[in-house]
Structure formats: C-alpha cells, structure tokens
C-alpha cells in the first residue's frame, strides 16, 4: 500500500527539488510576509554583526590596542561617529548593548511574524482543500475516502505549514552566515575562503542524512494517508465487528501501516539526531585545524586569528543550522505536495456553475428520455416520467433498481448522459443549480445525524435559521414532542451519529432538516425502510399531512408509502413504468 501511495506525481521529483519548489510556492503565495520576515532578520543580523564589531573596538580601546583597527572595528568607529558618539570604551560598550538589544527585539518580531504566517499557511491550505472538495462533483466526492481528507486537513496541512517555518529559519541562518562571511573575508580573504570551503565540504558530506530524512518523510506521508483512510472506514463499521468479536481483524489491517509508520519515524529521528551529532564535532575539528594552520603554518598574529576563527566558527555554525532547517523542510515537503495534489484533484473535478435561469415549480418535473449510467454500462435507458407539482409521487422498486440514482438526477447531483430533466418545462441544464437545490428538501436513505445538538442537526449550521424556524420544522415533522422532551430540549447533544435517538426519531429529525428552509420539492429516499410498522405508519402520517403544501417525490421498496401516494411509478432494473404495467414483478422483487 505504501508503494501505491507514495508513487504520486510529487514523489517522482527528487527530494531536494520538491522541497525547493515548495519554498518557492510559499514565497509566491506570501510574498509580502516572506519579504518582511527576511528583511527583519537581515537587519537583525546586520545589527548583531555591528554590535559585535562595536564590542571588539571597545576591547581595543580599553586595552589601548587601537592603533591599527581591523575592518570591523573601523566600521564600528565610523558608525559611532555617524551617530555623533565620541568612541571611548564606555560609549562603545553602551552602543554595543543597544545594538544587540535592538537585534533581539527585531528577531522576536520577525519570529512572531513567521509564526503567524505558519498558522496562515495551514489555514489557507485547509480552507482551499475544504472548498475544493465541497465544490466538487458529487460523483467525485463519493469516491473520496473520508479519512484521507481528514488526514489532509489535519496532519498534512500541519506538516506543510511547518515547512514554511523552517524555510524562514533557513533563510535567516543563510543571511547571517553571509553577513559574517563578508566580514571575515574583509579581514583575510584567503584564510576565510579556505575555511569556508572546508566547512562547505564537510556539510555537503552530511547531506546523506538530509536525503534519508526526506525519504522517511515521504513514507510517513503515504502511510498516514492510507492508515487514516482505512481507519476511518473501519471505525464507521465497528459495531458489527465488535458484536461478532472480530475487532482483532482491524488490528491486523492497521498494524502493518502503524508498524511502517514507526519505522519511518525512527529513521527520521535517527537522521535528525545523527546530523546534529555529527555537525558539532566536525565543526570543532574544523576550528582546531584552522587555529593550527593560521597560527603555526601561516604565522598570523594571535589576536587576528582569534577574531577570524570566532567569525568563521559563527559562519559555519549558521550554515549548520541552515542545514538542519533544510532537513526539516525536506521532511515536510511530501506532506505539502500530497495535500496540493488532493486540492488539485478536487479542483479539477469542480462542479461547473451551470445554468442561470431562476427555477420555479408550479407545474412539475419531467424526465424526458433520460439515459444514465454510473459507469460505461447504462442503468436508465431513455426513461420518461412526470412528477406533478403539489402532489406526492412515489416510485416503488426493489433495491438496486436505480431509485436513488433517479432522485439524484432530479436534484442535479447527477447529469443525464442523454435526455433531459425539465422543471416547469425548463431544462435543468439551463437552471441555476444552486437556486434549484435551495428549493429542495432532501431526506436521504441514511439520515446522517452529526454529534451536535438537535438545533444544529436541523439547521446544519445555517445561521439565518432561528429557533422559531427549527420549532416550526420540528412540528411539521412531528418531532417537536420528543425533541422538546429531551433533557436540554433542542440544545441536547445527540451523540455520535445521533446515537441517543431511535430510528424513527432520527428519521423525523432528518425530515425537519429537509423542511426547515421551506422547500418547494421534498425528496424522500426510503424514509421508512429502516423503521418498524408503527414508526413507519407515524412517519407516513406526517408525510400525508404535508400534502398540498409542497411537491413530494418519494422512492421506496415497500408498500406503505405507495398507499399514500397520488401518483405511483414502478421501477425495475432502471425501467420506469406507470402503475399497473408490471405490478406483480416489482412487488415480488420488493419482498
Ligand atoms: P436503489 O436506490 O434503487 O437501491 P441505486 O440508484 O442506489 O438503486 O443503484 C442502482 C444501481 O446503480 C445499483 O446497481 C448500484 O450498484 C449502482 N450504483 C449506484 N451508485 C453507484 C455509483 N456511485 N457508482 C457505481 N455504481 C453505482
Ligand atoms: Mg437507494
């Protein structure tokens, strides 16, 4: 499974290239924020350098060793002069303190800015994914494992945004390294260059560990994706598994991914720790060798060597920190690309904004020669039927006949391959789909309630709907009595999937949810099929009481709803026929 998941488009690019492209994408998406953060860090670095130079010249002044000031000292003296400060050991010390203090404040501000941007990156990625998925075609959405989407929103967005943080850290460290390198080169370019090349070679050798971390990051991304996909699926079906004592199969199913994840995490930890552990001694050795070469072989004055080595050790130390940040970026890279891929895929499946005519529903809905198939094989072939306005039309047919498909065609969730759905004589293709769906109250086969209050389950978070609307809808759906009798009334929490309610109560809540925005068309998909006879009769009474208020389309495999219908159609293997034609066969199948 790991192989399949990591073999994405993003994973085909070399690890470093992918990480680099991610950073470029971040800078493109947040040019102002990135520039501001880097500029603040650059100024901070400069102030730090200047502060240290000032300290240096303070030392020279204090020891009376100031006849031949080095370049940094000259710079510091000039800077003090420009500020109108007479350079003495005391004033230079104060100036150094002021510079270093200002630097600290700037670094704080820059880091805060980076932190905010990290949150921004995560938020933007999450919203982009959510919007793209919500705007995608119904058929595409159906094929998405929910767990993968939650994984993308949670872990991938988090990891990707961390990439931005480490990108900023790396940028800052590289800038610092540059500033110090320039100063060191100004003191002795030969010695500095030699030291820098040696340091660069050592760090390049450690790049193996960066690539190792990148591979571990990729396998984590793939494993998390499939783990959360499988897990969410399995947790949704845990009741039968537990009831039949088969929960250990879930364990076996997930164990492979969890163990794989453990291996990947261990590799990531090892490469990270190994990089830190190896960087330090190598840098110490470098400084030792440099000291030996400068003092013993090149016979440079001790004071100059100390300054040089101090500067060079800082440069290489900055480079080492930049490399550690780069390692983090490389780990985050795959999460970013995986998330981007999910967003792109959903955007490519975006439901086009079709039609612009405002819908009306005064006459009725007509299916005219509609042909549709979920795959290559057509399910409905040139089927026609009418759903007159203001009446209850019921389609009876066995499971698998294509009833839900037909309903989804009417709602515009699916589009006919050939033929048309007409609403008041206007092809649905010309009608603004959003407006049309706003006119529909939909009660699905499985009344999916969310773990929230009754109120929220009815409004689905639509804030324009007040408690009065909810009460009215609950009364219409015959749900007010039980809902108001709950411990906290409509503010009672319903538990996972509405676990606190009986099947019939759940169905009524779903009905209230469909009625709360005062639809013109009420679609009822097998609303009574999971209920016992008494609950079924009660729900049907509720539906009958709604007659005349709105147009209703009900599909069912049973007979109870049919008895209440004004118009009945039968459906069998995708063939719709007016009541009477092949009654017996459909009835037999229904049983
Ligand atoms: P009903 O609601 O009458 O039980 P459906 O409309 O749900 O029937 O399904 C009709 C047929 O279409 C079934 O054979 C089902 O397997 C198939 N089908 C339904 N939805 C899909 C889908 N998203 N992809 C592929 N086949 C589907
Ligand atoms: Mg169905």
């Amino acid at each position: 499974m790991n192989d399949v998941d990591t073999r994405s488009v993003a994973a085909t690019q070399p690890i470093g290239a992918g990480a680099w492209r991610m950073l470029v994408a971040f800078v493109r998406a947040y040019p102002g924020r990135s520039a501001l953060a880097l500029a603040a860090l650059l100024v901070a670095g400069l102030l730090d350098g200047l502060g240290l130079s000032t300290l240096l010249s303070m030392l020279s002044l204090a020891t009376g060793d100031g006849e031949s000031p080095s370049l940094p000292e000259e710079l510091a003296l000039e800077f003090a002069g420009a500020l109108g400060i007479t350079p003495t050991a005391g004033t230079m010390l104060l100036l150094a303190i002021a510079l270093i203090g200002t630097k600290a404040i700037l670094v704080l501000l820059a880091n805060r800015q980076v932190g905010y941007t990290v949150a921004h990156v995560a938020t933007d990625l999450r919203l982009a994914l959510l919007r793209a998925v919500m705007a995608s075609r119904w058929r595409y959405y159906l094929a998405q494992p929910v767990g993968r989407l939650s994984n993308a929103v949670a872990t991938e967005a988090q990891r990707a945004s961390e990439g931005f943080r480490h990108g900023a850290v790396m940028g800052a460290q590289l800038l610092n390294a540059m500033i110090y390198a320039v100063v060191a080169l100004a003191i002795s370019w030969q010695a500095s260059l030699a030291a820098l090349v040696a340091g660069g070679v050592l760090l390049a050798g450690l790049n193996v560990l960066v690539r190792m971390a990148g591979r571990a990051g990729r396998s984590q991304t793939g494993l998390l994706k499939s783990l959360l996909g499988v897990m969410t699926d399995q947790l949704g079906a845990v009741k039968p598994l537990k009831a039949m004592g088969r929960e250990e199969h879930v364990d076996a199913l997930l164990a492979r991914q969890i163990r794989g994840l453990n291996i990947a995490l261990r590799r990531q930890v090892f490469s990270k720790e190994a990089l830190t552990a190896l960087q330090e001694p190598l840098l110490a050795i470098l400084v030792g060798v440099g000291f030996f070469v400068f003092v013993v072989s090149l016979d440079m004055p001790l004071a100059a060597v100390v300054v040089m080595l101090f500067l060079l050790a800082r440069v290489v130390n900055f480079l080492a920190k930049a490399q550690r940040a780069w390692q983090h970026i490389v780990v985050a890279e795959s999460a970013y690309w995986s998330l981007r891929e999910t967003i792109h895929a959903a955007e490519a499946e975006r439901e086009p904004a079709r039609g612009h005519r405002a819908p009306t529903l005064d006459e009725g809905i007509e299916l005219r020669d509609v042909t549709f198939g979920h795959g290559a094989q057509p399910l409905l072939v040139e089927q026609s039927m009418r759903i007159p306005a203001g009446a209850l039309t019921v389609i009876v047919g066995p499971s698998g006949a294509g009833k839900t498909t037909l309903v989804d065609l009417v709602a515009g969730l699916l589009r006919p391959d050939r033929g048309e759905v007409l609403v008041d004589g206007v092809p649905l293709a010309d009608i603004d789909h959003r407006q049309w769906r706003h006119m529909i109250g939909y009660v699905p086969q499985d009344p999916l309630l969310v773990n929230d209050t009754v109120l929220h389950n009815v409004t689905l978070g639509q804030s324009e709907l007040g408690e009065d609307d909810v009460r009215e809808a609950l009364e219409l759906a015959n749900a007010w009595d039980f809902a108001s009798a709950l411990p906290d009334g409509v503010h009672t929490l319903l538990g996972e999937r509405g676990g606190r309610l009986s099947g019939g109560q759940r169905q009524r809540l779903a009905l209230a949810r469909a009625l709360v925005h005062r639809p013109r068309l009420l679609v009822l998909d097998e609303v009574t099929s999971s209920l016992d006879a008494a609950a079924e009769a009660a729900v049907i009474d509720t539906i009958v009481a709604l007659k005349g208020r709105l147009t209703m389309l009900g599909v069912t495999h049973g007979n109870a709803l049919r008895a209440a219908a004004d118009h009945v159609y039968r459906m069998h293997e995708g063939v719709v026929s007016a009541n009477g034609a092949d009654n017996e066969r459909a009835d037999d199948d229904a049983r």
Side-chain angles (χ1 to χ4, degrees):
M1 224 169 282
N2 181 13
D3 300 343
V4 177
D5 288 322
T6 48
R7 208 189 300 132
S8 58
V9 179
T12 56
Q13 55 190 345
I15 282 169
W20 183 247
R21 282 184 50 217
M22 170 178 79
L23 291 184
V24 171
F26 281 149
V27 173
R28 282 227 184 106
Y30 308 94
R33 288 162 182 273
S34 309
L36 203 65
L38 278 186
L41 290 168
L42 177 65
V43 174
L46 285 173
L47 288 183
D48 193 35
L50 205 52
L52 288 173
S53 308
T54 312
L55 271 186
L56 218 68
S57 71
M58 183 275 288
L59 280 179
S60 305
L61 287 170
T63 53
D65 194 17
E67 284 91 67
S68 58
S70 63
L71 187 91
E73 291 173 53
E74 266 176 39
L75 278 177
L77 290 172
E78 254 173 51
F79 182 69
L83 291 178
I85 295 170
T86 326
T88 65
T91 55
M92 290 310 264
L93 179 62
L94 287 177
L95 183 60
I97 290 170
L99 284 169
I100 292 169
T102 316
K103 176 239 167 179
I105 292 169
L106 263 178
V107 167
L108 172 68
L109 289 176
N111 284 344
R112 192 188 62 165
Q113 166 83 2
V114 169
Y116 287 175
T117 311
V118 168
H120 230 279
V121 170
T123 308
D124 286 353
L125 285 171
R126 287 178 176 138
L127 283 177
L129 175 68
L130 212 61
R131 291 195 180 125
V133 168
M134 282 299 142
S136 68
R137 285 172 214 273
W138 178 238
R139 287 162 95 172
Y140 171 77
Y141 180 81
L142 273 185
Q144 295 308 302
V146 177
R148 288 196 181 184
L149 295 179
S150 3
N151 175 48
V153 166
T155 65
E156 289 182 356
Q158 175 68 26
R159 287 174 62 209
S161 68
E162 285 299 317
F164 183 90
R165 179 197 307 287
H166 294 294
V169 169
M170 185 176 81
Q173 301 304 336
L174 288 178
L175 281 176
N176 278 328
M178 250 167 55
I179 292 167
Y180 281 84
V182 167
V183 178
L185 285 165
I187 296 176
S188 159
W189 71 266
Q190 297 95 331
S192 303
L193 203 62
L196 286 177
V197 168
V201 168
L202 285 182
L203 292 179
L206 294 177
N207 220 33
V208 175
L209 294 167
V210 171
R211 280 200 297 277
M212 180 174 171
R215 282 194 297 275
R218 282 190 178 179
S219 89
Q220 258 179 72
T221 302
L223 287 165
L224 274 172
K225 224 195 296 199
S226 63
L227 173 67
L228 278 143
V230 176
M231 201 170 104
T232 313
D233 247 25
Q234 294 295 321
L235 289 183
V238 86
K239 189 165 182 186
L241 280 174
K242 274 197 92 70
M244 297 185 281
R246 316 234 161 134
E247 55 266 43
E248 72 275 7
H249 293 300
V250 176
D251 206 77
L253 212 60
L254 298 180
R256 235 192 61 212
Q257 277 121 331
I258 292 178
R259 268 196 291 275
L261 212 50
N262 188 34
I263 294 170
L265 283 171
R266 284 170 67 140
R267 244 188 258 138
Q268 184 186 326
V269 166
F270 172 78
S271 52
K272 203 176 117 207
E273 296 307 329
L275 184 61
T276 315
L278 288 178
Q279 273 179 346
E280 273 176 28
L282 284 179
L283 295 185
I285 291 168
L286 194 68
V287 171
V289 171
F291 190 81
F292 182 81
V293 171
F294 293 161
V295 177
V296 179
S297 304
L298 297 179
D299 215 11
M300 284 168 68
L302 190 65
V305 168
V306 169
V307 173
M308 281 288 299
L309 280 179
F310 170 74
L311 289 171
L312 287 172
R314 286 210 98 171
V315 172
V316 182
N317 194 27
F318 283 135
L319 289 178
K321 279 188 190 156
Q323 188 178 36
R324 294 207 289 273
W326 177 239
Q327 192 182 35
H328 279 116
I329 294 168
V330 156
V331 171
E333 165 246 26
S334 50
Y336 173 77
W337 288 112
S338 165
L339 180 53
R340 278 285 297 266
E341 245 172 41
T342 313
I343 295 174
H344 277 174
E347 276 172 352
E349 289 287 339
R350 190 184 173 78
E351 193 175 37
R354 281 196 300 263
H356 43 78
R357 289 182 63 172
T360 58
L361 184 52
D362 299 319
E363 291 155 36
I365 302 162
E366 187 186 346
L367 269 71
R368 194 180 286 165
D369 300 330
V370 168
T371 299
F372 176 85
H374 286 288
Q377 193 76 12
L379 174 65
L380 281 83
V381 180
E382 300 192 349
Q383 294 301 303
S384 300
M385 69 173 288
R386 290 184 52 80
I387 302 157
L392 169 59
T393 303
V394 171
I395 302 169
V396 189
S399 166
K403 304 182 298 295
T404 299
T405 306
L406 193 140
V407 157
D408 289 348
L409 284 163
V410 168
L413 289 173
L414 301 173
R415 241 188 332 168
D417 296 331
R418 285 197 305 280
E420 278 178 326
V421 176
L422 302 148
V423 180
D424 274 4
V426 181
L428 195 51
D430 297 341
I431 291 174
D432 181 330
H433 274 53
R434 286 191 63 79
Q435 282 189 46
W436 172 233
R437 288 184 197 149
H438 274 292
M439 288 171 64
I440 298 176
Y442 189 93
V443 187
Q445 200 161 343
D446 184 3
L448 290 169
L449 300 185
V450 291
N451 186 6
D452 207 307
T453 60
V454 173
L455 194 78
H456 179 92
N457 268 288
V458 173
T459 63
L460 285 179
Q462 199 179 330
S463 52
E464 308 89 87
L465 297 169
E467 265 185 59
D468 291 342
D469 299 299
V470 171
R471 179 176 178 153
E472 195 188 319
L474 287 169
E475 279 172 348
L476 271 179
N478 248 330
W480 177 249
D481 288 347
F482 81 80
S484 55
L486 289 169
D488 296 314
V490 294
H491 299 288
T492 310
L493 286 171
L494 288 182
E496 194 78 21
R497 285 161 194 256
R500 287 187 100 182
L501 300 177
S502 77
Q505 290 172 334
R506 279 204 288 272
Q507 204 57 266
R508 280 150 198 279
L509 269 198
L511 200 55
R513 173 196 283 173
L515 290 169
V516 74
H517 59 270
R518 299 185 178 83
R520 304 293 314 278
L521 170 67
L522 185 62
V523 173
L524 307 158
D525 190 353
E526 308 268 17
V527 280
T528 59
S529 51
S530 59
L531 304 181
D532 60 48
E536 179 177 49
V539 170
I540 286 175
D541 283 347
T542 310
I543 293 167
V544 169
L546 288 169
K547 272 194 190 182
R549 283 175 162 267
L550 70 177
T551 309
M552 288 188 279
L553 170 63
V555 304
T556 173
H557 67 261
N559 282 321
L561 189 61
R562 183 179 62 173
D566 300 309
H567 309 279
V568 179
Y569 284 91
R570 308 198 151 270
M571 190 163 196
H572 185 74
E573 289 178 0
V575 179
V576 187
S577 51
N579 194 18
D582 50 4
N583 263 356
E584 285 72 45
R585 219 177 75 199
D587 271 353
D588 288 344
D589 282 328
R591 284 196 194 110

